[in-house]
Amino acid sequence: MRAQRPGLTTWGPVVKPAPAHRLLSGRKPRSAHFPSDHWLASSFACRYGNFGAPRQRQTWNPSRQQEIEHMLELANSLRADPERPAFHVMPRHGWINDPNGPVHYDGRYHLFYQHIVNGCEWDFGIVWGHAVSTDLVHWEHLAPALVPTPGGPDADGCFSGCCLSDGKSPPVILYTGVRLRSNAACGPLPPPEYDLNLPFIESQLWAVPDTASGDRNLTHWTKGTTALIGIPPLQTDEPLVGWRDPFIFEQRPNADGVMEWGMLMGSGRKNIGGSVMIYRSADLTSGWRYDGLLCEADNTDCGAMWECPLLFELEKRPDTAGPQAPAHLDEAQLAQTSAAPPSVHSAGQPADSPPDDIQEQAQEADLRDRMSHGAESQQEQQEAADTTDQAQPSGRWQPPAASESDEESDDGRQEVFGGSELAAALANVQLDEHGQANVTHLLCVSPDAPTNPVLYYLSTMDKDACRFQLEGAKGPLRLDLGDVLYAPNCMNDPQGRLLMWGWLQERRKVGSYDYAGCLSVPRIMYLRGDRLHQEPAPEVKNLRRGKSWQQSRMTIVPEESTPLEGIAGAALDIECTFERGSATAAGLLFRSWNAGGEGSASVVYDWDRNVLEVVFLGSGESRESMTGGPIDMEDEEEGGHRIGGEVSMRPGENVQMRILLDHSCMEVYLSSGEVLSTRVYRGYPPDGADAGIDFVAYGGAAEVKRAEVWEMRSIWKRDLDVSKAGSVFDEPSQSVKRPTMVGSQPVPVGA
């Protein structure tokens, strides 16, 4: 078994079978231990890659030949790479991560994202990529909205943030800019009492579009001449471990009746845990003051640094589904979170330490060495996560076996990092007179690194103090049950819907393709009873092409697969309903064309465990092994593994499943409101091949009550050459009936 790399923070893919504390693999991972000089690398390794000097400063030139060539070759890209998504937003080429500042303005949806133009790995010099749409599903590429300014506070990267519009005035971008400590051209470092001692200096910045020319696509942005907020709060004995990702969440009157904006800032404190700060100002671009903490964890079980915080009030709809989801992550899941990392803050330089410039060079060299050997690609990061002292289950579906992790310690408690006290506190959910959790707001955080799941809490707001009630909250819960979603962002659209996009990472090695990552389809989020419900925006159906393939009342039996005959294509929208019958589990098998069937995957719902999971086939197993009886994986290096989690279906209930398959990108939606996102790399299909999809059942016969499949169109109508005037969107501007505020609500918190 490959040892976990030092300092890599990861939860890894898990589910919550019975008993509640057992992992899918049947073994409990050890608590992570972090040497004091490894935390910085572990916290940023997976998200930010190399911490040293950038390999190449990223610049943007709309007329450069490479951009023109990629634009002309876009139509051939799918033929060249069968794994490249077609109906998920992504750049023409290069790296993508966090979605930033989705906003609706002047009849158009604008979606920004973190983007490296000249490479498929994260690097400093990151820009804000930009795409625009009039209907939420057909998009066009635009030039980056924000690029680093040499010598400025964002000289080494325009990090994540938000965008705000009231529907009338031009929108404003708020973002975190970074400069390397070693970049002398950017001026002096912050005063020691405000210095977080990171390899880079973070500043909160702003920009506005140039709308005087009548450019409705907002292709040109002007940065503010002064920082939004130049330095973090004064450091204490528990210093901050980060300070970034601004997000506007409300507008409300202060004590003097003056309307003020409320802004969140992701952070965390040494040896304390993740936290979310609040800043306030009557002016979006100046006058911001620190107003304390929205909330703060009392340990690092759920991350030491909470990135990309989101807070919003959810629309409530009648509860028509089954019992409520689990109120919190179980103790085995909490055990997979990182141990409390030593802070990157230095309390002072020892008298005999080397000069600052030598220390900085040594620090950057050390970090470059660690990143180049410890996190060279997302695939290696995932391999490290997958080998965290746990035996991987077979690529063929089987219930997880009991293990030593089921046993209790001598004092009667589960031996997990974080202790049972946290789990007990999280289980203390406040209930209303109907026995449902009394929740109105959702807090979403991305803890530490993208190998970790995005977490959310459901609770209420103390409107007087403007504090989110973590005590008694329902959570932490995973926003997505898969292994690729991180750093989501959201907006309220003119219809009052809460729309969310997330970053879907790659899970293959860098070098064989000229892009990395994409964004999820837009999801609508709301409360159904006291549970979060996610579903694709209805507009996604507009991408369906022609008539659908349909099937009903079909029995599927174990030991054999039932192909979906007559379906071709790798971009599909699949809806199906399974009735249990005598089966323990049922779902769909996605066959691979790779040698040995490696890359095949089954999407399976298990009625006994109430679990949705995707089981991947290892290189040592055949396709037929996915439809037979249980087998064990003796060699985890073969690549078989499974991901997933518990859902909130009623016992024995028919399973309604919608799968958006976009070449290698897969999003699985259940009628109970849960989502699982992952990547499935099936290789090059032979000429004339069908879609390579079978119905499968395990433990007995199940029935497909209804199935319908559509081929899907690309979302790209055509790419816009920014050197030419005009746009593919020439419809008249749509009127905006209500203010649209990214991160705020139609009825502001506390109003």
Side-chain angles (χ1 to χ4, degrees), residues 39 41 115 135 279 301 331 411 633:
W39 182 81
H115 179 35
D135 61 4
Y279 285 82
D301 286 353
E331 295 184 74
D411 61 359
M633 176 183 291

Side-chain angles (χ1 to χ4, degrees), residues 10 28 53 205 242 256 265 383 404 445 543-544 632 635 725 744:
T10 178
K28 179 181 67 179
L205 309 173
D256 298 325
M265 196 75 67
E383 290 173 0
E404 296 176 358
V445 296
L543 296 173
R544 292 171 173 174
D632 293 326
D635 182 5
S744 59

Side-chain angles (χ1 to χ4, degrees), residues 490-537:
C490 64
M491 64 170 287
N492 288 109
D493 74 352
Q495 302 177 44
R497 304 177 301 179
L498 183 64
L499 300 177
M500 186 273 282
W501 287 263
W503 167 33
L504 302 182
Q505 306 164 66
E506 295 289 340
R507 283 291 178 256
R508 59 179 177 174
K509 291 185 178 180
V510 172
S512 60
Y513 51 98
D514 66 351
Y515 64 92
C518 65
L519 303 183
S520 69
V521 300
R523 300 180 186 178
I524 296 178
M525 303 174 68
Y526 57 88
L527 279 176
R528 175 168 284 175
D530 61 355
R531 295 173 295 106
L532 176 66
H533 192 97
Q534 303 178 66
E535 61 187 42

Side-chain angles (χ1 to χ4, degrees), residues 216-411:
R216 298 172 61 198
N217 282 332
L218 307 180
T219 53
H220 302 287
W221 292 76
T222 301
K223 297 178 183 178
T225 56
T226 59
L228 196 73
I229 312 171
I231 54 176
L234 184 69
Q235 297 300 283
T236 66
D237 292 337
E238 292 83 26
L240 302 180
V241 297
W243 180 65
R244 55 184 173 272
D245 307 334
F247 182 81
I248 298 293
F249 74 101
E250 70 168 1
Q251 185 182 32
R252 63 143 117 189
N254 61 17
D256 298 325
V258 178
M259 295 298 291
E260 288 188 325
W261 298 102
M263 180 171 67
L264 305 181
M265 196 75 67
S267 190
R269 288 198 295 160
K270 175 185 177 182
N271 298 328
I272 300 296
S275 61
V276 180
M277 299 177 171
I278 297 180
Y279 285 82
R280 296 196 180 278
S281 176
D283 187 337
L284 276 174
T285 61
S286 64
W288 288 93
R289 71 181 188 279
Y290 178 56
D291 192 34
L293 296 177
L294 176 80
C295 59
E296 181 177 49
D298 57 5
N299 55 62
T300 58
D301 286 353
C302 294
M305 169 68 196
W306 282 357
E307 298 184 308
C308 302
L310 308 173
L311 175 68
F312 35 84
E313 188 170 2
L314 293 169
E315 173 195 359
K316 281 199 169 186
R317 299 186 185 180
D319 185 8
T320 58
Q324 66 182 32
H328 56 83
L329 293 181
D330 60 61
E331 295 184 74
Q333 290 169 312
L334 288 175
Q336 297 176 83
T337 65
S338 63
S343 172
V344 296
H345 178 82
S346 174
Q349 183 172 301
D352 58 349
S353 61
D356 288 343
D357 57 343
I358 297 178
Q359 278 195 327
E360 290 172 7
Q361 294 173 17
Q363 183 186 40
E364 290 186 10
D366 178 56
L367 288 170
R368 281 197 301 271
D369 182 68
R370 290 185 204 168
M371 295 308 101
S372 62
H373 292 88
E376 294 180 349
S377 70
Q378 286 182 306
Q379 174 67 23
E380 292 191 356
Q381 296 159 16
Q382 180 64 18
E383 290 173 0
D386 290 342
T387 57
T388 308
D389 192 35
Q390 58 178 351
Q392 297 289 356
S394 169
R396 171 178 165 193
W397 183 88
Q398 60 176 317
S403 74
E404 296 176 358
S405 66
D406 300 339
E407 299 176 2
E408 297 182 342
S409 61
D410 294 337
D411 61 359

Side-chain angles (χ1 to χ4, degrees), residues 432-677:
D432 60 19
E433 64 273 16
H434 303 295
Q436 293 187 335
N438 184 24
V439 297
T440 58
H441 290 72
L442 183 145
L443 172 69
C444 179
V445 296
S446 298
D448 290 343
T451 47
N452 292 332
V454 176
L455 302 178
Y456 73 90
Y457 299 82
L458 295 172
S459 188
T460 57
M461 285 287 294
D462 182 338
K463 295 186 177 180
D464 294 331
C466 194
R467 298 296 182 262
F468 184 83
Q469 304 298 314
L470 273 185
E471 183 177 355
K474 186 176 181 180
L477 293 162
R478 286 188 289 167
L479 186 69
D480 191 288
L481 301 179
D483 59 348
V484 296
L485 185 134
Y486 193 73
N489 213 316
C490 64
M491 64 170 287
N492 288 109
D493 74 352
Q495 302 177 44
R497 304 177 301 179
L498 183 64
L499 300 177
M500 186 273 282
W501 287 263
W503 167 33
L504 302 182
Q505 306 164 66
E506 295 289 340
R507 283 291 178 256
R508 59 179 177 174
K509 291 185 178 180
V510 172
S512 60
Y513 51 98
D514 66 351
Y515 64 92
C518 65
L519 303 183
S520 69
V521 300
R523 300 180 186 178
I524 296 178
M525 303 174 68
Y526 57 88
L527 279 176
R528 175 168 284 175
D530 61 355
R531 295 173 295 106
L532 176 66
H533 192 97
Q534 303 178 66
E535 61 187 42
E539 288 88 340
V540 174
K541 293 182 178 179
N542 294 335
L543 296 173
R544 292 171 173 174
R545 173 186 297 165
K547 296 183 179 180
S548 64
W549 176 94
Q550 299 181 37
Q551 182 71 51
S552 62
R553 294 295 178 182
M554 179 173 58
T555 300
I556 51 178
V557 297
E559 306 296 337
E560 67 179 63
S561 58
T562 305
L564 278 68
E565 297 178 345
I567 299 176
L572 303 171
D573 187 349
I574 305 168
E575 292 185 355
C576 49
T577 301
F578 295 95
E579 187 176 83
R580 177 170 186 172
S582 60
T584 56
L588 292 165
L589 166 64
F590 294 84
R591 289 180 267 119
S592 170
W593 292 281
N594 294 319
E598 183 178 10
S600 296
S602 283
V603 179
V604 176
Y605 174 73
D606 179 348
W607 278 278
D608 287 346
R609 296 183 295 132
N610 203 18
V611 161
L612 172 69
E613 60 186 350
V614 175
V615 184
F616 293 88
L617 176 66
S619 60
E621 299 177 82
S622 65
R623 169 197 160 192
E624 287 73 18
S625 71
M626 300 288 283
T627 58
I631 60 174
D632 293 326
M633 176 183 291
E634 297 180 356
D635 182 5
E636 66 183 23
E637 294 298 325
E638 291 180 345
H641 64 284
R642 67 209 301 160
I643 59 173
E646 186 180 12
V647 298
S648 54
M649 302 290 294
R650 297 187 186 96
E653 182 179 14
N654 291 344
V655 177
Q656 298 180 45
M657 188 182 297
R658 182 177 179 186
I659 302 175
L660 297 177
L661 177 67
D662 189 3
H663 298 79
S664 65
C665 186
M666 178 184 287
E667 297 182 64
V668 184
Y669 294 81
L670 285 190
S671 56
S672 53
E674 292 84 8
V675 190
L676 187 159
S677 303

Side-chain angles (χ1 to χ4, degrees), residues 721-737:
D721 184 343
V722 296
S723 65
K724 298 179 181 179
S727 168
V728 297
F729 300 127
D730 51 11
E731 303 91 316
S733 174
Q734 302 174 15
S735 61
V736 179
K737 299 181 181 179

Side-chain angles (χ1 to χ4, degrees), residues 146-161:
L146 299 176
V147 300
T149 299
D154 64 356
D156 295 296
C158 301
F159 278 18
S160 291

